[in-house]
Amino acid sequence: MTSQARLFLTATVISGFGTSALWLASGIWVKDLTGSNGLAALCLLAMWAPSLAGPALGTVADRLPRKPLLIATNLLLAALLLTLLTLNTPSDLWLLLTVLTLYGAAGVVTDAAESALVAGTLPPALLGDFNGLRMTANEGMKLLAPLAGAALYSTHGGPAVAALDAATFLAAAALYTRLTPQKEAPHPATPTPWRTQIKDGTGHLRRHAGLHALVRTAGLTMLIAGINGALTYAVVDALHHAPTYAGTLAAAQGAGTVVLGLFSGRALRHLGAPRFAAAGIALTAAAIALRAIPSDPVALACAAATGVGLPCPLIAAFTAVQRGTPDALLGRVSATASTLVFAPNVIGLATGAALVELLPHGPLLIALGVTLLGILAHSPLIARRTASRSPSDANPA
């Protein structure tokens, strides 16, 4: 691994630790303040909602130098999080949701900039390996960060977790100052109008049928995953645990993702993107349905299985975007793909937050698992499995 890749991964680990600690603590924070499972789920919704504006936000990464953009955005996030130090009553809930929404918007911009810089730094053949490790580094924080965040919340409250997250963004900004990107997209004195740039990004995805199929199927998977995520506190209630037990489930999911990251690059090359994505979706569907069983061992096993399965269609789709997109378009195309993948997750979280207040979670989980299997059965990924293998399977464009 190159020194630049190590810098990216280290920054991802540090900022990912703070993010994973905050997303769990924010839900517990709201649950304690209001007693509502639905309002607790809105914290995740607030963080994911800005992905709806991905095509516009991603254009920022193509209009501005990406390294300074990463540094400035991380410093902005650190300052933003410090405003939560004053939050301690239910009437302050608006402030938390506002901060989480801005947090999510900044995340869309940084993800696009990072994706473009990585694609311009690493050989295309190694992008699948790096994306697997990157997702492992980010999601693997669920092994420690949620538990650490829950413990810190229990002893010092939500403001302490916000301060910890702010410190991680300061550290990530310092690491980004050491990057030496090999190439940057051109930034002309008179940039192309925003609307045209956004259309260029969406048009690129439409013109590549195989790439669009990977992105679309990943998005439908995230729709189901979003509803499933909103049911987490209901699952915890059924297991007769305190809300902080969600941190244990998150750690199990993180362990699964760590395992995946060890072989994702090799599996992607061996199976090809469609087969790799399909295998992960099938595993995720089974794990979601089995969460309906009120058993601690089953719940932990399902969380770990989700950690293995859910990232597969994401790694396949985003690696294909990096390999098949010109550098000048990569910021907005990456962000557009992120919108198509993660916007359904926003819809799923909102839907799940409503459904969990109206219906029993067990039948909902079974229905979600069956629905996801149905999506897979009718997806282009399955259709392509009957075709002969080709080099493009391992190097999708």
Side-chain angles (χ1 to χ4, degrees), residues 73-116:
T73 304
N74 276 269
L75 292 175
L76 175 63
L77 284 170
L80 189 65
L81 285 162
L82 294 179
T83 65
L84 296 179
L85 298 182
T86 61
L87 193 154
N88 53 26
T89 66
S91 63
D92 295 327
L93 182 59
W94 68 270
L95 175 61
L96 177 60
L97 294 177
T98 299
V99 168
L100 291 178
T101 301
L102 295 173
Y103 191 112
V108 174
V109 174
T110 57
D111 283 349
E114 286 180 354
S115 181

Side-chain angles (χ1 to χ4, degrees), residues 142-143 248-260 263 280 283-284 287-288 291 296-311:
K142 292 177 181 178
L143 285 168
T248 303
L249 297 179
Q253 183 171 336
T257 303
V258 168
V259 171
L260 173 72
F263 63 83
L283 179 60
T284 302
I288 290 174
R291 287 183 90 198
D296 279 2
V298 172
L300 291 169
C302 290
T306 301
V308 174
L310 186 58

